[in-house]
Amino acid sequence: MNDKTFVWCIFLALFSISSSWAKSVENDVNKITTNEVASSKESTENNAANAEEELTPKDQLLYFTLVAFRDMSLEYVDLAANISESLLTDEDLQPNQSTTIMEFRKNITQFLEQYKKYDGIEELFNLVDFYSNTTSHYFELTAETSAADMLKIKEKLDKYGSDELDREFENLFMKFGEQFCQKFDEYKSKLSAEELQQEKVMFDWLEEFKSIQNAEEKIFSFEKFFRFYEE
Ligand SMILES: *[C@@H]1O[C@H](CO)[C@@H](O)[C@H](O)[C@H]1NC(C)=O
Ligand SMILES: *[C@@H]1O[C@H](CO)[C@@H](O)[C@H](O)[C@H]1NC(C)=O
Ligand SMILES: *[C@@H]1O[C@H](CO)[C@@H](O)[C@H](O)[C@H]1NC(C)=O
Ligand SMILES: *[C@@H]1O[C@H](CO)[C@@H](O)[C@H](O)[C@H]1NC(C)=O
């Protein structure tokens, strides 16, 4: 499993859920879709707390998850933008060097343009996906089978820390995973025996999720969580 696929896979699930869920509880999602909210930690927490109170415990769990993914994504795109700036100014990656490099620069430039004007949680998730799409295939290149300009791009991505970015995302996700399990147990403790029975599949999944130690496997498993919210 290459290490970018999971980012793509989880964000694909996030798009479908955040947009369908946004329709059912419109006001609450609006509170986490603005950049002003995202940029102010204090108001984020207040708004999140108010919004959370109005939700059912099960929706609170999803809300908690979307807020956490928003925060992880913010960190991801900020670092990705920083890496992009370095890539564009690198003297070995100037547009006159090859058409591949020129196209790569075009992709990165487009990412930066979108980064500077994105608005809302869906566009944010989209940005993560876009950066991941643009850079992912370079990580699998081998010296024997790849063109020199492709390898040059790979070398520069490594140099400016694009592979570490994915490790960072994994670390953030593992921290989130622990908090998520606590939150889930809280939710569980509020339910009657009958409700517990109704949500049995979800709790079985939680036990499976808790037992997974490997970060990539854990991220893949997490995709299943979103399915409990599909109509
Ligand atoms: C952004 O990149 C520069 C190097 O180009 C580095 O000095 C700086 O610490 C980076 N900022 C963040 C937030 O990582
Ligand atoms: C590309 O342009 C830069 C100046 O922008 C120049 O220094 C460099 O030699 C050029 N490289 C090639 C391969 O033409
Ligand atoms: C530019 O990005 C697209 C995907 O968005 C990708 O298919 C293409 O290979 C990228 N080009 C380069 C030179 O990396
Ligand atoms: C990333 O690539 C996938 C698969 O090729 C595609 O479905 C998705 O729309 C792309 N995302 C962006 C933001 O371009």
Side-chain angles (χ1 to χ4, degrees), residues 31-231:
K31 286 177 190 147
I32 52 171
T33 55
T34 57
N35 286 325
E36 302 91 80
V37 172
S39 62
S40 153
K41 191 84 181 141
E42 204 178 318
S43 88
T44 304
E45 276 158 13
N46 287 340
N47 281 340
N50 292 340
E52 258 191 272
E53 281 166 22
E54 298 152 18
L55 300 171
T56 65
K58 188 176 173 180
D59 277 347
Q60 282 179 22
L61 203 54
L62 180 59
Y63 188 86
F64 169 81
T65 301
L66 290 178
V67 170
F69 270 91
R70 179 204 58 199
D71 292 345
M72 286 189 256
S73 303
L74 284 171
E75 225 165 293
Y76 185 96
V77 297
D78 286 350
L79 284 170
N82 199 340
I83 292 168
S84 298
E85 302 276 9
S86 304
L87 289 167
L88 290 177
T89 50
D90 191 294
E91 62 183 22
D92 291 332
L93 293 181
Q94 290 315 301
N96 58 355
Q97 265 135 6
S98 87
T99 50
T100 304
I101 287 177
M102 204 157 74
E103 192 191 314
F104 179 73
R105 289 179 60 91
K106 216 195 258 175
N107 281 350
I108 291 290
T109 304
Q110 204 183 335
F111 166 76
L112 276 175
E113 279 166 5
Q114 288 179 14
Y115 169 78
K116 280 171 189 148
K117 64 181 171 62
Y118 80 88
D119 186 22
I121 200 165
E122 278 180 67
E123 280 181 38
L124 174 63
F125 291 159
N126 216 43
L127 265 179
V128 176
D129 201 37
F130 188 86
Y131 184 80
S132 175
N133 275 1
T134 298
T135 54
S136 61
H137 48 287
Y138 291 99
F139 295 95
E140 295 147 52
L141 298 183
T142 55
E144 299 80 46
T145 56
S146 312
D149 50 2
M150 298 281 279
L151 291 171
K152 179 65 78 187
I153 295 173
K154 177 183 156 84
E155 180 196 319
K156 297 298 174 178
L157 283 168
D158 286 348
K159 176 176 173 190
Y160 296 118
S162 206
D163 54 342
E164 281 161 41
L165 188 58
D166 267 31
R167 297 283 150 254
E168 180 60 19
F169 189 84
E170 281 184 7
N171 291 338
L172 291 171
F173 180 84
M174 293 305 266
K175 280 189 205 132
F176 156 76
E178 279 172 33
Q179 293 169 339
F180 172 83
C181 289
Q182 280 172 15
K183 203 86 181 164
F184 211 121
D185 286 333
E186 268 172 45
Y187 164 53
K188 207 170 160 179
S189 69
K190 288 178 189 161
L191 301 182
S192 65
E194 196 188 334
E195 287 167 322
L196 281 173
Q197 194 54 37
Q198 275 166 7
E199 298 286 2
K200 186 173 182 309
V201 184
M202 199 166 169
F203 295 122
D204 287 348
W205 167 77
L206 178 67
E207 292 314 313
E208 182 196 298
F209 179 74
K210 276 183 186 168
S211 72
I212 301 172
Q213 303 301 321
N214 177 282
E216 275 183 41
E217 282 172 33
K218 219 172 168 73
I219 292 171
F220 272 112
S221 169
F222 198 74
E223 199 207 345
K224 294 188 192 140
F225 169 71
F226 295 114
R227 300 213 194 115
F228 299 117
Y229 292 87
E230 280 166 3
E231 311 283 285

